[in-house]
Amino acid sequence: MTRPVRVVVLDHTAQPGGAELALLRTCAALDPARVEVTVVLFADGPLADRLRQVGVAVRVLPLDARIASTDRAAAGRSVVGAVRSVAATVPFVVRLSGLLRSIGPDVVHTTSLKADLIGLPAAALARIPLVWHVHDRIAEDYLPAPVARVLRVLARRGPRHVVVNSRATARTLLPLPRGWTLAYPGLAPEQVAADPDARPVSPTPVVGLVGRISPTKGQLVLVEAAALLADRFPDARFRIVGAALFTEQAYADAVVARVAALGLTDRVELTGFADDPAAAMDALSVLVHASPVPEPFGQVVVEGMARGVPVVATSGGGVDEIATAPDGTARCLLVPPDDPAALAEAIARVLDETAESAARARRAWADVRREYAIATTAARLTAVWRATARR
């Protein structure tokens, strides 16, 4: 194929979540001489504007808000509810297939679970090869069991090819007889510190967790660990950077209440949403990842390493393959999930062993800037699209 391969990317949301930000970085890194991308979003929002700013064509085809807002837990609670959702989606699938035919791509690429499910019949109706990009572990500890089973069956029989964001995600889907490709959510050059040793050093230790306030991110675990470290590090400060979505506000309220109950209001700061996560990480002595459930990838772990910040992370999922270099060298300290005592001990080790922690963080910085570059992600996806189009 000598001309650019024409790709339509489908995403159900226009809110800038992890997969959506990875899509934005990937689109900016693609070679326009080899790939021509149009992104079709099932809602309007900030992502649409940001994609247009980097020169990507965007089309918005609104999906019924009741379907778009259904989370993965609700999808598996009721068979009747699931059937109704499928029935309500049929008219949208027909409209989407018509839009795909009018655009005329060589490949359709879906990048969220809702887009995977809706894109499968729409691409089939339009007779266009389909690639799934799976950013979620398709496992019963992450999704309702019926949903996970259906997705595994469809992944093996529906799309021409499957792209995964980690080997941990791949293991929840295998075998994939039509083939699969690993493409990490890559880092843009501006996310990587030019010199990690040039980071400003706080005179007092600052331990922080950066990410959406949610039960899946484990802010309460950090608060409990902060209480355990209070006497040992009386000058240490703890920072929770991020905000809750509306549906997770109750958890954010519980975090605030627990901080007050433990007498930590003068030591634990909730900063709210950060426009510049890199700057927030640069200000930390230790970056904490405390997710109680294994994550498909662990974007914040890579981002912290790219800034040269020492990282303490909970083990499981994609984090395990980030945390250890191919030669077995540790890039960060791993602790069991949902274990405040183990988290506190690992944070204390980083703060006590400053020279060793700094050396480990610098090795991690050198590794991730090479292994997780967005240019590599763009090249792997381009190869998948061109091969799928040829088939």
Side-chain angles (χ1 to χ4, degrees):
M1 182 178 290
T2 55
R3 63 169 175 80
V5 60
R6 294 190 297 268
V7 181
V8 166
V9 177
L10 306 181
D11 199 337
H12 79 280
T13 180
Q15 297 304 313
E20 286 69 39
L21 292 174
L23 170 63
L24 179 65
R25 295 193 300 271
T26 301
C27 287
L30 291 170
D31 180 355
R34 304 194 70 203
V35 183
E36 182 182 301
V37 175
T38 299
V39 176
V40 175
L41 301 174
F42 302 168
D44 207 352
L47 180 64
D49 293 333
R50 295 181 68 173
L51 284 165
R52 292 184 181 108
Q53 288 169 8
V54 297
V56 177
V58 178
R59 304 284 290 271
V60 176
L61 187 68
L63 175 64
D64 187 313
R66 291 170 296 179
I67 300 171
S69 62
T70 302
D71 62 21
R72 57 179 181 257
R77 289 190 196 114
S78 166
V79 174
V80 173
V83 171
R84 286 176 178 168
S85 293
V86 170
T89 307
V90 169
F92 179 81
V93 168
V94 174
R95 295 200 308 275
L96 177 59
S97 66
L99 177 60
L100 292 176
R101 283 193 294 270
S102 70
I103 297 172
D106 302 302
V107 182
V108 174
H109 182 99
T110 55
T111 191
S112 70
L113 290 182
K114 283 194 182 78
D116 292 342
L117 294 172
I118 292 172
L120 192 58
L125 284 171
R127 299 190 176 186
I128 302 168
L130 175 68
V131 172
W132 272 13
H133 196 154
V134 182
H135 296 270
D136 298 274
R137 292 174 58 254
I138 310 304
E140 283 72 8
D141 63 354
Y142 197 79
L143 293 164
V147 175
R149 286 195 293 270
V150 168
L151 285 168
R152 280 195 290 266
V153 170
L154 292 177
R156 293 162 189 167
R157 300 178 181 178
R160 296 281 183 89
H161 198 83
V162 175
V163 178
V164 293
N165 64 346
S166 70
R167 291 183 179 86
T169 294
R171 283 193 292 270
T172 66
L173 287 168
L174 294 175
L176 290 168
R178 295 185 174 184
W180 62 280
T181 295
L182 172 64
Y184 291 124
L187 297 167
E190 62 270 17
Q191 292 179 282
V192 182
D195 180 5
D197 295 334
R199 271 193 324 118
V201 179
S202 171
T204 58
V206 182
V207 180
L209 192 158
V210 179
R212 188 179 82 252
I213 297 181
S214 162
T216 63
K217 301 302 180 185
Q219 283 84 3
L220 275 174
V221 181
L222 176 59
V223 172
E224 298 293 342
L228 296 174
L229 293 166
D231 293 336
R232 189 169 174 181
F233 298 96
D235 294 334
R237 295 294 178 266
F238 298 84
R239 193 169 292 162
I240 295 173
V241 181
L245 298 177
F246 177 76
T247 56
E248 295 165 334
Q249 188 57 48
Y251 180 80
D253 293 341
V255 172
V256 173
R258 189 59 178 157
V259 169
L262 292 171
L264 297 173
T265 51
D266 60 337
R267 303 191 62 180
V268 178
E269 175 190 10
L270 282 79
T271 69
F273 177 78
D275 289 323
D276 188 350
M281 293 178 188
D282 286 346
L284 301 178
S285 310
V286 187
L287 175 68
V288 170
H289 165 277
S291 296
V293 177
E295 292 210 67
F297 179 58
Q299 183 72 35
V300 72
V301 175
V302 172
E303 290 176 354
M305 291 177 177
R307 305 308 300 177
V309 182
V311 176
V312 174
T314 53
S315 61
V319 172
D320 290 349
E321 60 199 81
I322 299 168
T324 306
D327 64 0
T329 304
R331 294 171 175 163
C332 68
L333 299 184
L334 286 178
V335 298
D338 208 13
D339 189 336
L343 179 59
E345 190 56 38
I347 292 170
R349 180 179 165 189
V350 173
L351 297 179
D352 283 335
E353 302 172 358
T354 54
E356 180 182 336
S357 298
R360 182 169 51 246
R362 186 169 184 87
R363 288 194 303 269
W365 167 81
D367 286 348
V368 301
R369 71 197 293 258
R370 179 180 62 253
E371 295 176 22
Y372 296 92
I374 193 63
T376 301
T377 306
R380 290 184 180 182
L381 289 179
T382 298
V384 167
W385 292 333
R386 295 180 74 84
T388 303
R390 281 197 296 270
R391 287 202 300 271

